[in-house]
Amino acid sequence: MTEEKEGLRIALYQPDIAGNTGTILRFAACMGLAVDIVEPAGFDLSDRNLKRAGMDYLEMAALTRHVDWQAFEERRRAEGRRLVLLSTRAAMPYADFSFSPRDTLLFGRESAGVPENVHEAADARLLIPMQPGARSLNIALSVAMAAGEAIRQLR
């Protein structure tokens, strides 16, 4: 898997579900987006569910693995990237935000989101508005919605 330094990026914080990560890698490969995975993941990255969901697109995916949050943050800051966190705790709707080509869109664990220190590190926190009583969307859908809006704005 290759590594890309330019353009919009998707980052997954300690993803839990191989199938979701595979779907996101497939989406990113098709859209020309790079993906960062902040480890540890809740599954082995050679998992067959990851491969099944990603199909033959995994070879096209521009993936960078980071051993932990600190390693990811050091790299992101060195590259001068803005960190945009998608969170159910945010107030600003994602469609009202002005995306930049140097943004990294960060998505938390399916089971627990991100810890407070990661939430605080974000330069912006965005919400995907939902109906009252709804807890959250599938992470792959959330990635597609937010990245799709960013791509629409930037292209």
Side-chain angles (χ1 to χ4, degrees), residues 1-2 7-8 12 14 17 20 25-26 28 35-36 50 57 61 67 74 108 136 139 143 145 151-152:
M1 296 182 203
T2 62
L8 187 69
L12 305 176
Q14 300 180 355
I17 301 172
N20 286 340
L25 288 168
R26 179 180 180 178
V35 177
D36 294 284
L50 174 75
Y57 293 91
V67 67
E74 287 172 7
S136 65
I139 190 170
V143 168
M145 290 174 71
I151 291 166
R152 185 194 67 79

Side-chain angles (χ1 to χ4, degrees), residues 6 16-17 20 28 32 47 53 56 64 78 81 91 107 111 119-120 125 135 143-144 148-149:
E6 298 303 319
D16 289 327
I17 301 172
N20 286 340
D47 187 289
D56 54 343
T64 303
R81 295 185 157 280
F107 298 83
S111 63
H119 206 274
E120 290 173 6
R125 291 159 207 81
R135 286 190 330 255
V143 168
E149 175 59 17

Side-chain angles (χ1 to χ4, degrees), residues 92-152:
M92 176 182 268
Y94 76 103
D96 294 344
F97 185 72
S98 293
F99 291 94
S100 160
R102 305 274 307 150
D103 285 343
T104 295
L105 307 182
L106 177 63
F107 298 83
R109 298 180 75 176
E110 292 94 328
S111 63
V114 298
E116 191 59 34
N117 67 310
V118 173
H119 206 274
E120 290 173 6
D123 298 301
R125 291 159 207 81
L126 306 180
L127 174 74
I128 296 174
M130 296 179 287
Q131 293 296 307
R135 286 190 330 255
S136 65
L137 292 168
N138 175 280
I139 190 170
L141 291 174
S142 297
V143 168
M145 290 174 71
E149 175 59 17
I151 291 166
R152 185 194 67 79

Side-chain angles (χ1 to χ4, degrees), residues 32-47:
L33 302 174
V35 177
D36 294 284
I37 293 182
V38 180
E39 297 192 38
F43 55 90
D44 185 326
L45 287 173
S46 65
D47 187 289

Side-chain angles (χ1 to χ4, degrees), residues 9-89:
R9 296 182 76 91
I10 295 166
L12 305 176
Y13 180 86
Q14 300 180 355
D16 289 327
I17 301 172
N20 286 340
T21 300
T23 299
I24 292 164
L25 288 168
R26 179 180 180 178
F27 168 78
C30 289
M31 297 291 108
L33 302 174
V35 177
D36 294 284
I37 293 182
V38 180
E39 297 192 38
F43 55 90
D44 185 326
L45 287 173
S46 65
D47 187 289
R48 70 178 174 83
N49 291 322
L50 174 75
K51 291 178 181 174
R52 183 172 59 231
M55 297 175 64
D56 54 343
Y57 293 91
L58 292 182
E59 294 303 317
M60 294 173 51
L63 173 63
T64 303
R65 294 169 60 181
H66 304 272
V67 67
D68 59 20
W69 171 250
Q70 183 177 346
F72 169 80
E73 266 297 87
E74 287 172 7
R75 174 81 176 268
R76 178 187 71 83
R77 290 178 188 270
E79 291 180 1
R81 295 185 157 280
R82 185 168 65 171
L83 186 63
V84 180
L85 174 66
L86 277 289
S87 172
T88 58
R89 295 174 37 204

